[in-house]
Amino acid sequence: MPTPSMEDYIEQIYLLIEDKGYARVSDIAENLTVHPSSVTKMVQKLDSEGYLVYEKYRGLILTAKGKKIGKRLVYRHELLEQLLNIIGVKEENIYRDVEGIEHHLSWDAIDRIGDLVQYFEENPERVETLRGIQKQSEEEIDS
Ligand SMILES: [Mn+2]
């Protein structure tokens, strides 16, 4: 199993390749706000563990294993954003909150959250009920 830090890298690399067709060390460093030398080090580690193939002057490609986990990590991130959005978390908090929790849930919990998100999507009136409760608790705090 990849560590939380490895997961962040695989996720970013997957997103970059999906978006641009390639993932450069400099782009990964920028997206993760880390030094390029840290990226090189991690990329070598991910290579040695079979998630990607890295050649210094030719860039990097994800292996089948890297692509499979990358896809799941991106799904997990998006699902958690959906969840926070449904429960009414403010837009400006969502990305940072997801980055903070995504590595600490089991895949079992992720699958159950998937069910919950599906439930709310199929029953939008329940989201409205939830908004009502949210409004009440905000009023209690304000009063
Ligand atoms: Mn993420």
Side-chain angles (χ1 to χ4, degrees):
M1 283 302 284
T3 63
S5 173
M6 287 161 77
E7 287 189 342
D8 276 334
Y9 278 85
I10 297 169
E11 189 185 349
Q12 278 310 318
I13 292 166
Y14 186 90
L15 284 171
L16 279 166
I17 292 174
E18 211 181 37
D19 185 38
K20 301 174 134 189
Y22 56 87
R24 286 188 309 211
V25 166
S26 55
D27 293 329
I28 301 166
E30 198 185 310
N31 290 4
L32 291 171
T33 50
V34 295
H35 197 268
S37 65
S38 311
V39 177
T40 308
K41 226 170 124 188
M42 179 56 95
V43 158
Q44 284 162 349
K45 186 178 163 66
L46 291 171
D47 183 318
S48 74
E49 298 201 13
Y51 294 104
L52 55 82
V53 177
Y54 177 55
E55 286 172 47
K56 204 167 178 189
Y57 298 103
R58 298 178 60 190
L60 56 90
I61 52 159
L62 289 170
T63 61
K65 175 181 165 180
K67 271 185 211 160
K68 191 176 164 198
I69 186 88
K71 197 173 171 182
R72 292 192 84 191
L73 297 174
V74 170
Y75 162 75
R76 183 177 70 184
H77 184 107
E78 289 171 356
L79 178 71
L80 291 170
E81 283 200 355
Q82 274 180 288
L83 173 73
L84 297 194
N85 193 31
I86 288 166
I87 64 173
V89 175
K90 288 192 197 74
E91 196 63 45
E92 71 251 38
N93 294 328
I94 288 184
Y95 185 81
R96 205 188 51 228
D97 282 345
V98 170
E99 285 303 307
I101 61 175
E102 61 183 348
H103 307 296
H104 307 288
L105 295 168
S106 64
W107 287 103
D108 176 28
I110 295 299
D111 289 342
R112 299 295 68 79
I113 289 171
D115 296 342
L116 184 67
V117 167
Q118 188 187 336
Y119 169 79
F120 279 116
E121 279 176 349
E122 288 171 0
N123 301 277
E125 73 281 2
R126 290 292 168 203
V127 180
E128 289 310 309
T129 311
L130 194 59
R131 287 293 173 281
I133 296 171
Q134 185 181 353
K135 228 176 144 207
Q136 272 179 5
S137 35
E138 280 170 355
E139 279 163 9
E140 279 165 30
I141 291 165
D142 290 341
S143 65

